[in-house]
């Protein structure tokens, strides 16, 4: 799985425990990102729909959620990965843009990313293996990048992992059914249908995923876009259609309020963070149309960039870090019965709801 800010690694066992206790058979992972949560639900046997605006998130969802491991031609997949992994490098857009003009990858790896990506497009477009191979490439590139986990910048000296050669692995596919939907949650919430369980993990501040992970967007779109700035961001990062209503304080609160109201589900779980624009009280009030609402607060380590501190372009430390921890909130809302079962599940793993 790629390095991803806001990824819910620590929360997955909690969400899984609630899903198991609820007896849910279908689940929605809105704002799915890495698909980590959707994967956990699929592993529990739920039919999962995974939604996100990001192109790479759709690819991950087509790989891990939509693809049923039981119907994959595994020898063909292994052969395809071995073939791609054996290709020599050939400099193209990635090498020029992300290795020469910027320094996200070492050139010898950039050349291989170019060659593998070209081969996936030329030889596997339209194949059921396509999203699986693309996922394998993005995950391989992520293991040898030279960032702190965001693509707004690269580190001044090559990161130690960037010296390792790019290696493709076969993604660990899951048995079961699901669907990948690339869409704006604010537009499709009312049309997605009914789910036993819905998990919402929206962005909680002005930092945009489109620019934070622009290299993965480009690797999927494979459209050699014009770019700007030191980080060589895609030119369409400036366009309105790539901006999310959840990244602006003015638009986020009404959008989330409407979304929470229009989703059709028995039990809703919403992740939020004490660095967000919304207070916990406001969130609880937002869920006020549900019969019962409980909240859980979990201490969490902040993103690594925040831990390293603030530096000027010469690499000197110029600011201090205000704090290294924040609190992740989970709001659980729905009919009294399912919320009571969710609360009991939390208590069983030693987590008492705080509200
Ligand atoms: C906090 S991250 C989710 C992380 C995810 N739960 C995980 O564990 O990987 C928020 C996600 O919201 C997506 N996003 C932003 N605006 C969106 C919108 N309007 N509709 C759907 N997804 C959006 C971003 O692309 C990002 O993947």
């Amino acid at each position: 799985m790629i390095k991803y800010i806001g990824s819910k690694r620590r929360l997955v066992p909690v969400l899984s425990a609630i899903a198991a206790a609820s007896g849910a058979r279908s689940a929605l992972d809105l704002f799915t990102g890495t698909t980590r949560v959707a994967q956990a639900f699929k592993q529990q046997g739920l039919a999962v729909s995974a939604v996100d605006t990001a192109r790479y998130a759709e690819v991950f969802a087509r790989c891990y959620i939509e693809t049923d491991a039981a119907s994959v031609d595994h020898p063909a997949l292994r052969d395809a990965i071995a073939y791609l992994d054996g290709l020599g490098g050939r400099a193209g857009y990635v090498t020029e843009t992300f290795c020469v003009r910027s320094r996200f990858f070492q050139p010898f790896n950039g050349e291989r990313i170019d060659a593998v990506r070209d081969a996936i497009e030329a030889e596997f477009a339209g194949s059921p293996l396509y999203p699986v191979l693309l996922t394998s490439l993005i995950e391989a590139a992520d293991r040898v990048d030279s960032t702190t986990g965001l693509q707004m910048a690269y580190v001044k000296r090559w990161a130690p992992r960037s010296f390792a050669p790019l290696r493709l692995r076969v993604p660990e596919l899951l048995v079961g059914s699901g669907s990948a939907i690339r869409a704006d949650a604010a537009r499709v919430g009312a049309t997605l249908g009914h789910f036993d369980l819905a998990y919402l993990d929206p962005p909680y501040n002005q930092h945009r995923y489109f620019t934070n992970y622009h290299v993965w967007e480009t690797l999927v779109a494979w459209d050699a876009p014009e770019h700007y700035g030191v980080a060589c961001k895609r030119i369409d990062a400036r366009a309105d259609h790539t901006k999310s209503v959840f990244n602006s304080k003015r638009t986020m609160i009404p959008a989330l309020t409407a979304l929470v109201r229009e989703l059709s589900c028995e039990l809703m779980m919403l992740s939020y963070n004490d660095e967000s624009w919304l207070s916990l009280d406001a969130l609880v009030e937002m869920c006020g149309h549900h019969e019962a609402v409980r909240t859980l607060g979990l201490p969490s380590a902040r993103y690594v960039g925040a831990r390293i501190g603030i530096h000027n372009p010469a690499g000197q430390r110029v600011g201090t870090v205000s704090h290294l921890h924040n609190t992740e909130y989970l709001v659980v809302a729905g009919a009294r019965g399912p919320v009571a079962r969710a609360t009991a599940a939390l208590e069983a793993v030693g987590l008492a709801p705080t509200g």
Side-chain angles (χ1 to χ4, degrees):
M1 225 168 271
I2 59 163
K3 300 182 284 302
Y4 204 56
I5 192 161
S7 175
K8 293 296 174 293
R9 186 173 55 85
R10 279 192 62 236
L11 205 58
V12 163
V14 176
L15 300 172
S16 295
I18 295 176
S22 74
R25 297 161 64 91
S26 64
L28 171 68
D29 182 15
L30 214 45
F31 311 97
T32 194
T34 58
T35 71
R36 188 186 280 280
V37 175
Q39 287 186 46
F41 291 157
K42 187 177 172 188
Q43 271 166 328
Q44 290 179 273
L46 280 71
V48 186
S49 295
V51 180
D52 202 292
T53 40
R55 288 180 176 92
Y56 53 83
E58 184 191 24
V59 165
F60 297 152
R62 286 180 62 203
C63 169
Y64 290 116
I65 305 306
E66 208 161 83
T67 302
D68 182 349
S71 57
V72 168
D73 181 343
H74 291 277
L77 173 57
R78 280 195 298 275
D79 286 353
I81 295 277
Y83 160 67
L84 295 170
D85 205 34
L87 290 175
R90 197 179 57 232
Y93 183 87
V94 168
T95 311
E96 172 61 21
T97 315
F98 300 130
C99 307
V100 177
R101 289 179 186 249
S102 58
R103 288 159 51 98
F104 287 99
F105 307 103
Q106 303 238 14
F108 65 90
N109 276 329
E111 289 168 11
R112 294 212 33 241
I113 295 171
D114 272 320
V116 173
R117 183 63 187 89
D118 275 340
I120 292 175
E121 205 57 38
E123 298 173 48
F124 297 94
S127 151
L129 297 184
Y130 183 82
V132 183
L133 301 176
L134 255 183
T135 296
S136 174
L137 174 60
I138 297 171
E139 292 181 345
D142 183 65
R143 286 192 290 272
V144 297
D145 78 346
S146 194
T147 72
T148 60
L150 293 181
Q151 297 168 348
M152 296 295 282
Y154 39 92
V155 295
K156 201 164 162 252
R157 294 213 182 101
W158 287 115
R161 66 171 171 272
S162 70
F163 291 91
L166 183 89
R167 279 276 163 262
L168 272 68
R169 297 178 190 159
V170 178
E172 285 179 29
L173 301 176
L174 304 172
V175 172
S177 65
S179 62
I181 302 164
R182 181 171 168 230
D184 182 342
R187 289 175 188 269
V188 299
T191 66
L192 292 167
H194 183 78
F195 296 89
D196 295 336
L197 193 67
Y199 174 60
L200 280 67
D201 187 17
Y204 54 79
N205 58 29
Q206 71 282 12
H207 299 301
R208 298 171 58 202
Y209 282 82
F210 191 85
T211 44
N212 278 340
Y213 297 100
H214 64 95
V215 178
W216 302 152
E217 283 285 331
T218 294
L219 210 48
V220 174
W222 209 228
D223 54 354
E226 271 184 62
H227 52 81
Y228 66 96
V230 179
C232 295
K233 284 179 276 183
R234 300 173 56 87
I235 198 83
D236 57 358
R238 290 177 166 154
D240 280 347
H241 73 269
T242 65
K243 295 186 179 151
S244 171
V245 291
F246 297 97
N247 286 133
S248 140
K249 185 175 180 183
R250 187 178 55 80
T251 50
M252 182 276 273
I253 297 173
L256 191 58
T257 306
L259 181 59
V260 162
R261 285 195 168 268
E262 69 196 14
L263 277 182
S264 174
C265 61
E266 300 300 315
L267 191 65
M268 191 194 73
M269 304 192 282
L270 173 72
S271 272
Y272 234 65
N273 179 299
D274 62 354
E275 294 182 354
S276 82
W277 291 309
L278 270 171
S279 68
L280 186 58
D281 286 348
L283 265 185
V284 170
E285 198 181 313
M286 206 180 258
C287 300
H289 56 292
H290 284 288
E291 238 176 57
V293 185
R294 301 298 304 265
T295 61
L296 181 73
L298 295 164
S300 147
R302 293 182 82 214
Y303 152 67
V304 64
R307 304 171 71 82
I308 291 168
I310 302 150
H311 294 78
N312 68 15
Q316 292 151 338
R317 200 170 176 136
V318 292
T320 51
V321 178
S322 55
H323 56 292
L324 293 178
H325 292 91
N326 55 19
T327 304
E328 292 272 357
Y329 292 116
L330 185 67
V331 179
V332 182
R336 252 182 223 105
V339 173
R341 285 195 291 280
T343 307
L346 291 175
E347 285 166 353
V349 292
L351 295 168
T354 42

